[in-house]
Amino acid sequence: MPQSGLLDRIRVVLSRTSHPGNIGAAARAMKTMGLTRLVLVAPESFPDPVADARASGALDVLHAARVVPTLADALEGTVMSAALTARRRELSVPLALPREAAPELVRHAQAGEVALVFGTESSGLSNEDVALCTLPVTIPANPEYSSLNLASAVQLLCYELRLAALVPELPEAPSEAARFEDIEGFYAHLEEVMRAAEFYDPATSKRLLPRVRRLFGRTRLERDEINILRGLLAALQRKLD
Amino acid sequence: MPQSGLLDRIRVVLSRTSHPGNIGAAARAMKTMGLTRLVLVAPESFPDPVADARASGALDVLHAARVVPTLADALEGTVMSAALTARRRELSVPLALPREAAPELVRHAQAGEVALVFGTESSGLSNEDVALCTLPVTIPANPEYSSLNLASAVQLLCYELRLAALVPELPEAPSEAARFEDIEGFYAHLEEVMRAAEFYDPATSKRLLPRVRRLFGRTRLERDEINILRGLLAALQRKLD
């Protein structure tokens, strides 16, 4: 299965959401991360024009949402489910962080359907709801104010899922890095101009060239940047002569 | 400095936000991750009761927001700034992912103030605004629908910053990072010398200055490197006169 296909096996379940705007905003958050399967457990108002407005370009995800009466219905057929919950629970269940839970969910998505479950805006998931799920997950928020907006929490978890599912695509190839000999040619040219400007005297300023190398070394020069720099040095030399 | 104190050195800058609700929601997103310093560049409407309503329990962060006329004002005194931007740009700037950028910002927060900059809801940041910042950052979103809600983007970046700030051990503080105004002074000086050398003609070479900014932006100049570079430029000017 292609890795992006794994995201199609992840259901986002919103349980008893009060405000339809949050359902729309959650659909948008999902789609920006490539998730499409929304399940609503007994929402207070759905469908709703406020949800449509907040969904922005994710109306397709919103309108394809499945509405079910109970969380057990929403979880039917899943091989794993993660429940978002606040840090303290009566049950001393070990809580996973999103960064730990996401690869677990993606790994299980290779075996079947998985779910990510969010509770109400005011009180989250009940202990009974959390107990229905495989893995409780908590966002490491500010202990003095940990109340994320529902759609923001959906955004954050879906982001972690996307990263976990698409890992090998992440690093970008460096474009057109300059070669060792090009960079050495630039340093030699720069040294000439610094001498001509009487800015650099090898007898007295031993530390200048190493500092310059350190500066440009950090930047990982590209080939056409070398061309720009050497073009400037050549123009300066013509004026200095 | 305790690591949570580093979050107090991070400014969240919202440039020309259209909808006050998003400003309030951004304040809430910040506070859930322990960030408190909000700067607004020419917001369309602020203060605004809609912003207050969406801020929920983060009215303190919202009401302490500083309003400034330009992005340059917002960046004054910073030693590093990250600009959130979409993937494709005219310049093939190497874009950092949030997970790469966050530890960089936190590392620089040990040396001074840093900023995280977000553009408008409809069109993001202009190329000029991105060029004012040190590091362009992109969220690895669904290429078919990458339009995150502004507050969701703030939530996601602040989450990465919190994780980066609270990891047990931070790498070494950068020594003496140069400030925004020092770096802008260097660019202005360099431009003068490039004109004097007849290497740069603003009428014909529109791409040169952005390329130069991109090159030096990547290197995160230090204060005494600015001194070296400006010393060289001054020496060249004496010879060219």
Side-chain angles (χ1 to χ4, degrees):
Chain A
M1 152 163 328
Q3 293 184 305
S4 61
L6 293 175
L7 296 175
D8 292 331
R9 291 192 169 181
I10 303 175
R11 305 176 190 173
V12 171
V13 179
L14 304 184
S15 179
R16 303 180 187 282
T17 312
S18 306
H19 303 296
N22 285 330
I23 298 176
R28 177 177 178 180
M30 288 170 60
K31 187 169 177 182
T32 62
M33 294 296 132
L35 281 84
T36 55
R37 302 190 42 207
L38 178 59
V39 183
L40 305 172
V41 179
E44 272 195 22
S45 173
F46 185 82
D48 191 300
V50 176
D52 285 10
R54 292 282 296 283
S56 191
L59 278 179
D60 52 345
V61 170
L62 184 67
H63 291 170
R66 195 155 61 88
V67 179
V68 295
T70 70
L71 178 56
D73 293 314
L75 297 180
E76 207 171 285
T78 58
V79 297
M80 182 181 172
S81 52
L84 197 78
T85 178
R87 196 168 278 278
R88 264 167 280 121
R89 280 276 146 195
E90 285 166 25
L91 307 170
S92 61
V93 186
L95 292 165
L97 295 171
R99 193 152 299 173
E100 298 159 350
E104 269 300 280
L105 281 165
V106 167
R107 201 163 67 83
H108 282 77
Q110 295 177 85
E113 306 255 322
V114 303
L116 184 58
V117 183
F118 298 83
T120 68
E121 293 93 335
S122 54
S123 56
L125 289 168
S126 67
N127 283 348
E128 295 68 36
D129 283 347
V130 173
L132 277 183
C133 298
T134 323
L135 180 68
V137 177
T138 197
I139 293 173
N142 177 2
E144 282 157 33
Y145 181 65
S146 60
S147 162
L148 271 76
N149 168 266
L150 176 58
S152 287
V154 171
Q155 183 76 64
L156 201 155
L157 269 294
C158 290
Y159 163 72
E160 288 286 4
L161 286 168
R162 182 174 185 80
L163 290 190
L166 303 183
V167 167
E169 284 184 18
L170 284 181
E172 241 178 300
S175 62
E176 299 294 326
R179 280 184 299 193
F180 171 77
E181 51 270 35
D182 302 328
I183 296 173
E184 289 302 312
F186 159 65
Y187 287 141
H189 200 166
L190 178 61
E191 185 180 332
E192 268 179 51
V193 171
M194 291 196 301
R195 280 181 196 234
E198 290 174 46
F199 178 70
Y200 170 59
D201 174 0
T204 58
S205 48
K206 302 252 180 264
R207 285 170 49 85
L208 181 62
L209 292 187
R211 291 300 316 251
V212 165
R213 279 178 177 268
R214 180 167 162 258
L215 189 170
F216 286 101
R218 285 202 312 272
T219 203
R220 300 203 235 309
L221 289 163
E222 295 174 8
R223 216 168 298 170
D224 55 356
E225 289 174 344
I226 292 278
N227 292 338
I228 290 172
L229 291 168
R230 296 204 60 172
L232 172 59
L233 292 172
L236 287 165
Q237 279 179 317
R238 281 191 296 274
K239 289 281 174 185
L240 291 171
D241 279 350
Chain B
M1 150 162 333
Q3 292 182 307
S4 62
L6 294 174
L7 296 174
D8 292 332
R9 290 192 169 183
I10 303 177
R11 304 175 190 173
V12 171
V13 178
L14 304 183
S15 179
R16 300 179 189 285
T17 312
S18 306
H19 303 295
N22 285 330
I23 298 175
R28 176 176 177 181
M30 288 169 61
K31 188 169 176 184
T32 63
M33 294 295 132
L35 281 85
T36 55
R37 300 190 44 206
L38 178 58
V39 182
L40 306 171
V41 178
E44 270 194 23
S45 173
F46 184 84
D48 191 298
V50 176
D52 285 10
R54 291 283 297 280
S56 190
L59 278 178
D60 52 345
V61 170
L62 184 67
H63 291 170
R66 196 156 61 88
V67 179
V68 296
T70 71
L71 179 56
D73 293 314
L75 296 179
E76 206 169 287
T78 59
V79 297
M80 181 180 175
S81 52
L84 198 78
T85 178
R87 195 168 277 277
R88 262 166 281 120
R89 284 269 149 198
E90 284 168 27
L91 303 172
S92 61
V93 184
L95 293 164
L97 296 170
R99 193 152 299 173
E100 298 160 349
E104 269 298 281
L105 281 165
V106 168
R107 200 164 68 84
H108 281 76
Q110 295 176 94
E113 306 254 322
V114 302
L116 183 58
V117 183
F118 298 83
T120 67
E121 292 92 335
S122 53
S123 55
L125 290 167
S126 67
N127 284 347
E128 293 68 35
D129 283 348
V130 173
L132 277 183
C133 297
T134 323
L135 180 69
V137 177
T138 196
I139 293 172
N142 177 3
E144 281 156 36
Y145 182 65
S146 60
S147 162
L148 271 76
N149 166 266
L150 176 58
S152 288
V154 171
Q155 183 75 64
L156 201 156
L157 268 293
C158 291
Y159 163 72
E160 288 286 3
L161 286 168
R162 181 172 186 80
L163 290 189
L166 302 184
V167 293
E169 271 185 40
L170 287 174
E172 230 181 308
S175 61
E176 300 295 326
R179 277 186 300 197
F180 172 75
E181 48 270 39
D182 303 328
I183 297 173
E184 289 300 313
F186 159 64
Y187 287 139
H189 200 168
L190 178 60
E191 184 180 332
E192 268 179 51
V193 171
M194 291 196 300
R195 279 180 198 233
E198 290 173 46
F199 178 69
Y200 169 58
D201 174 0
T204 58
S205 48
K206 304 252 180 261
R207 286 171 51 86
L208 180 63
L209 294 187
R211 290 302 313 253
V212 165
R213 276 176 179 270
R214 178 175 163 244
L215 189 170
F216 286 102
R218 287 202 310 271
T219 204
R220 312 220 208 302
L221 289 163
E222 295 174 6
R223 214 168 300 171
D224 56 357
E225 288 174 344
I226 292 277
N227 293 338
I228 291 171
L229 291 168
R230 296 203 61 169
L232 172 60
L233 292 171
L236 287 165
Q237 278 179 317
R238 282 191 295 273
K239 289 282 175 184
L240 291 171
D241 278 348

